[in-house]
């Protein structure tokens, strides 16, 4: 259980860093940088996660680089999902309207200022739903690390099955995965509400969390000034 | 119209004080095979208010976008205060200037867009002080004080903390005007700034622009379909068609006795009332 969470969170943090770096790199003007980023993205998207893990865990030691299983797991998950999420980052940045870029040119903001202060905050709100998907996917993807000797949730399920019975063990496992996934979804939804509120759309997170009757005025206000 | 003699190789330093604010010299702009502007030559003196009119697709907006460096000319040279903007003639060849050099000139130019283009991730105040603080290096207090003055002057002093999307189109455009002015531009480009607004709020935006025209000496290059506004504010009107200037006159002459038949046809269509091509831009 703890191993599964560690892998998910560690993998997710690494993945988001990799996604942002590769996603930004895949849209720069310099063809060398762009080509490199695209190659990395395509390589890690295009090869099996299990094989990547085996490579990290069983092949690298032959070249003298022996990494702990946990590091291999986080690295494998982070690279694999980071490559997928890089496309989300790139797509979301491209989805920010051209007028926003033009306004930054008209105000003489530098490229870094433009990306950091104007474009990325807007793209962030766009990427969260897709990133949530990958996060949930990764949580369940962690099951394959039992192949590289880590005792994760699925591994313990097997042990439980031997001690009890099949229905009970897999039933418990389903519930645990679901509860964790649901908690992660709620957290990400919270992030999305906050990000959208910062763009002036929808209510602040605090209000969204408070229990109340369905609010129809928010939708009406949102459609006002197009 | 002062004629300038500074050569196209004019270095960035020592630009003559008499140099026009904007000078187009044999400018060509093409997108692929589509030639939008061809052999375009004109000047805008400092403090001039020049309106560009003409049917849609005649290249008016492209001219503003070239001055703002949102597009780059594919031929010829554009000079701002006698200094080459994006390209210069060096050693007999047309070469692009460094980004640093372009940025220095760009800072003196502001633009207000048809679609406002306010930053939705910032409040109204943050929108206005963003560039003064991060580009001009003003202190936050200084920029805020100036921003509040500007908000006051566009009639929105109590919207500083609002988010752009909570404002009406007219209010957003007034904020966009304040944001452009906060950079103290020498040249202000107005690109169909009322075209996206409901008819009943066009007036409030134009009134503000009229006042800016009356109280400052900012050079303005205006693309608009509001002929009354063009007449009130500008001291020169250029009629475009097919990427060329077909007629140039003071507003009084242009709107009462246009000489060219293309101008006559265009003005008839625009001023003729609702049945014309006003809405087709």
């Amino acid at each position: 259980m703890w191993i599964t969470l560690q892998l998910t969170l560690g993998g997710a943090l690494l993945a988001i860093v990799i996604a942002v770096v590769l996603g930004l790199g895949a849209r720069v003007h310099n063809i060398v940088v762009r080509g490199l980023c695209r190659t990395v993205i395509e390589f890690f998207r295009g090869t099996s996660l299990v094989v990547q893990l085996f490579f990290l865990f069983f092949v690298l030691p032959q070249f003298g680089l022996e990494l702990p299983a946990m590091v291999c797991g986080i690295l494998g998950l982070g690279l694999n999902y980071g490559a997928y999420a890089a496309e989300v980052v790139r797509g979301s940045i491209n989805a920010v309207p051209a007028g926003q870029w033009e306004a930054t040119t008209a105000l003489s903001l530098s490229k870094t200022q433009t990306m950091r202060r104007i474009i990325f905050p807007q793209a962030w709100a766009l990427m969260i739903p897709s990133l949530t998907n990958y996060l949930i996917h990764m949580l369940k993807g962690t099951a394959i690390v039992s192949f590289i000797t880590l005792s994760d949730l699925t591994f313990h399920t097997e042990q439980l099955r031997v001690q009890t019975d099949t229905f009970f063990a897999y039933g418990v496992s389903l519930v645990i995965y679901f509860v964790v996934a649901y908690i992660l979804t709620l957290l990400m939804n919270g992030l999305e509400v906050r990000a959208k509120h910062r763009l002036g759309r929808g209510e602040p997170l605090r209000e969204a969390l408070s229990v109340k009757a369905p609010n129809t005025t928010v939708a009406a206000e949102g459609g006002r000034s197009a | 119209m002062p004629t300038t003699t500074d050569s196209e190789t004019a270095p960035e330093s020592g630009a003559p004080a008499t140099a026009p604010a904007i000078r187009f010299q044999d400018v060509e702009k093409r997108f692929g095979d589509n030639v939008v502007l061809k052999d375009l030559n004109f000047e805008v003196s400092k403090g001039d208010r020049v309106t560009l009119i003409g049917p849609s697709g005649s290249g008016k907006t492209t001219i503003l976008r070239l001055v703002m460096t949102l597009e780059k000319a594919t031929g010829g040279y554009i000079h701002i205060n006698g200094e080459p903007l994006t390209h210069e003639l060096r050693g007999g060849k047309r070469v692009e200037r460094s980004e640093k050099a372009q940025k220095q000139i760009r800072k003196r130019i502001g633009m207000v867009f048809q679609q406002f283009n306010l930053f939705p991730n910032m409040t109204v105040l943050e929108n206005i002080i963003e560039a003064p603080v991060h580009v001009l290096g003003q202190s936050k207090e200084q920029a805020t004080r100036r921003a509040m003055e500007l908000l006051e002057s566009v009639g929105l002093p109590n919207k500083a903390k609002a988010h752009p999307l909570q404002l009406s189109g007219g209010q957003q455009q007034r904020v966009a005007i304040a944001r452009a002015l906060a950079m103290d531009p020498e040249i202000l480009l107005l690109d169909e700034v009322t075209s996206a607004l409901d008819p009943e709020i066009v007036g409030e935006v134009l009134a503000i622009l009229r006042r800016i025209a009356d109280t400052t000496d900012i050079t303005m290059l205006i693309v608009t379909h509001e002929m009354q506004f063009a007449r009130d504010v500008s001291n020169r009107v250029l009629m475009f068609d097919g990427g060329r200037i077909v007629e140039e006159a003071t507003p009084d002459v242009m709107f009462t006795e246009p000489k060219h038949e293309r101008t006559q046809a265009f003005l008839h269509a625009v001023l003729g009332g609702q049945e014309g091509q006003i809405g087709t831009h």
Side-chain angles (χ1 to χ4, degrees):
Chain A
M1 175 68 199
W2 178 232
I3 300 272
T4 296
L5 276 183
Q6 266 183 308
L7 281 166
T8 306
L9 295 181
L13 286 178
L14 181 63
I16 191 71
V17 172
I18 289 174
V20 170
V21 171
L22 291 180
L24 291 177
R27 46 181 318 294
V28 299
H29 202 65
N30 184 318
I31 188 138
V32 178
V33 176
R34 194 172 66 223
L36 191 71
C37 289
R38 282 244 60 94
T39 310
V40 175
I41 291 173
E42 297 307 339
F43 178 79
F44 284 101
R45 281 203 307 176
T47 52
S48 154
L49 175 55
V50 180
V51 179
Q52 284 170 23
L53 284 178
F54 282 174
F55 194 90
L56 288 171
F57 193 67
F58 296 117
V59 180
L60 284 189
Q62 295 180 14
F63 296 94
L65 186 60
E66 211 160 316
L67 297 170
M70 176 56 81
V71 173
C72 286
I74 288 176
L75 216 53
L77 290 165
L79 283 168
N80 197 268
Y81 283 90
Y84 278 104
E87 287 295 272
V88 173
V89 171
R90 192 177 65 89
S92 302
I93 286 171
N94 288 348
V96 174
Q100 293 291 310
W101 296 88
E102 294 178 355
T104 64
T105 303
L107 292 170
S108 297
L109 294 173
S110 73
K111 279 184 180 157
T112 320
Q113 288 166 338
T114 296
M115 183 53 69
R116 198 168 61 84
R117 302 186 54 87
I118 313 293
I119 304 298
F120 197 85
Q122 295 181 52
W124 174 238
L126 299 174
M127 41 181 113
I128 294 175
S130 302
L131 293 182
T132 307
N133 247 344
Y134 283 128
L135 183 62
I136 304 302
H137 212 250
M138 179 186 283
L139 166 70
K140 295 174 296 185
T142 54
I144 65 165
V145 297
S146 49
F147 286 140
I148 57 169
T149 74
L150 284 174
S151 323
D152 77 320
L153 184 58
T154 302
F155 178 83
H156 286 297
T157 306
E158 286 301 317
Q159 289 186 323
L160 190 63
R161 187 178 63 85
V162 175
Q163 289 159 14
T164 60
D165 69 282
T166 317
F167 175 79
F168 179 75
Y170 290 139
V172 168
S173 181
L174 277 183
V175 170
I176 293 178
Y177 270 118
F178 177 78
V179 168
V180 176
Y182 195 66
I183 290 171
L184 289 177
T185 306
L186 287 179
L187 289 174
M188 292 300 279
N189 285 352
L191 275 185
E192 190 183 352
V193 167
R194 195 181 67 145
K196 282 196 171 153
H197 176 65
R198 287 196 176 161
L199 299 187
R201 295 199 306 258
E203 55 206 345
L205 185 56
R206 193 170 308 199
E207 276 174 37
L209 289 177
S210 63
V211 183
K212 61 178 180 308
N215 191 343
T216 47
T217 56
V218 172
E221 286 225 355
R224 184 157 55 94
S225 51
Chain B
M1 210 59 249
T3 48
T4 51
T5 51
D6 57 310
S7 82
E8 54 271 33
T9 51
E12 34 275 54
S13 60
T18 54
I22 306 169
R23 174 163 166 239
F24 273 56
Q25 183 191 351
D26 304 326
V27 169
E28 179 208 75
K29 177 61 185 175
R30 56 169 76 222
F31 296 97
D33 289 340
N34 181 22
V35 180
V36 183
L37 300 172
K38 197 163 166 41
D39 299 330
L40 187 61
N41 287 285
F42 72 94
E43 290 182 1
V44 176
S45 304
K46 283 183 182 147
D48 256 11
R49 278 65 196 260
V50 176
T51 301
L52 312 179
I53 62 171
S56 65
S58 58
K60 314 175 300 270
T61 288
T62 303
I63 290 170
L64 299 195
R65 295 175 62 82
L66 285 172
V67 175
M68 196 65 259
T69 69
L70 297 172
E71 310 278 355
K72 304 226 163 120
T74 46
Y77 306 91
I78 300 168
H79 298 258
I80 302 297
N81 295 337
E83 224 185 296
L85 177 63
T86 56
H87 291 78
E88 63 188 333
L89 190 64
R90 209 189 298 146
K93 277 167 84 177
R94 182 177 181 271
V95 289
E96 179 158 2
R97 303 195 72 201
S98 71
E99 169 59 26
K100 201 174 157 209
Q102 293 186 36
K103 188 174 178 177
Q104 280 310 315
I105 306 183
R106 200 186 290 136
K107 274 189 204 169
R108 307 182 206 152
I109 307 169
M111 184 161 181
V112 182
F113 299 88
Q114 185 177 351
Q115 297 295 340
F116 334 131
N117 296 344
L118 295 177
F119 305 133
N121 56 318
M122 296 178 172
T123 64
V124 163
L125 180 65
E126 287 165 346
N127 262 277
I128 299 174
I129 66 172
E130 176 70 16
V133 170
H134 290 99
V135 177
L136 301 183
Q138 293 178 6
S139 74
K140 215 169 163 190
E141 293 70 34
Q142 187 189 1
T144 302
R145 215 176 309 122
R146 171 94 169 111
M148 292 312 294
E149 281 170 25
L150 286 165
L151 277 176
E152 186 92 38
S153 76
V154 299
L156 296 169
N158 45 16
K159 294 289 184 190
K161 293 221 164 69
H163 274 276
L165 294 182
Q166 295 162 345
L167 303 180
S168 72
Q171 291 172 329
Q172 287 190 55
Q173 193 60 296
R174 281 143 72 188
V175 173
I177 292 167
R179 182 174 73 172
L181 291 178
M183 290 293 279
D184 283 321
E186 292 166 31
I187 298 170
L188 187 61
L189 309 169
L190 303 174
D191 183 17
E192 304 203 23
V193 293
T194 57
S195 296
L197 301 178
D198 293 333
E200 70 268 22
I201 49 177
V202 165
E204 69 187 39
V205 171
L206 293 183
I208 286 163
L209 291 172
R210 272 196 199 96
R211 203 176 61 240
I212 294 165
D214 290 343
T215 55
T216 69
D217 56 359
I218 300 174
T219 306
M220 293 187 186
L221 197 54
I222 304 161
V223 171
T224 184
H225 290 264
E226 298 287 334
M227 294 303 147
Q228 188 58 47
F229 173 66
R231 196 169 179 164
D232 291 352
V233 168
S234 47
N235 53 357
R236 205 150 60 94
V237 181
L238 305 182
M239 165 74 193
F240 277 81
D241 194 28
R244 291 165 187 275
I245 298 172
V246 296
E247 188 166 350
E248 171 177 353
T250 62
D252 280 343
V253 173
M254 184 72 93
F255 291 123
T256 52
E257 41 188 327
K259 292 187 184 58
H260 200 283
E261 59 180 299
R262 291 292 305 142
T263 317
Q264 291 163 5
F266 173 76
L267 289 176
H268 182 75
V270 175
L271 300 173
Q274 282 72 21
E275 87 283 358
Q277 298 145 356
I278 297 175
T280 58
H281 54 267

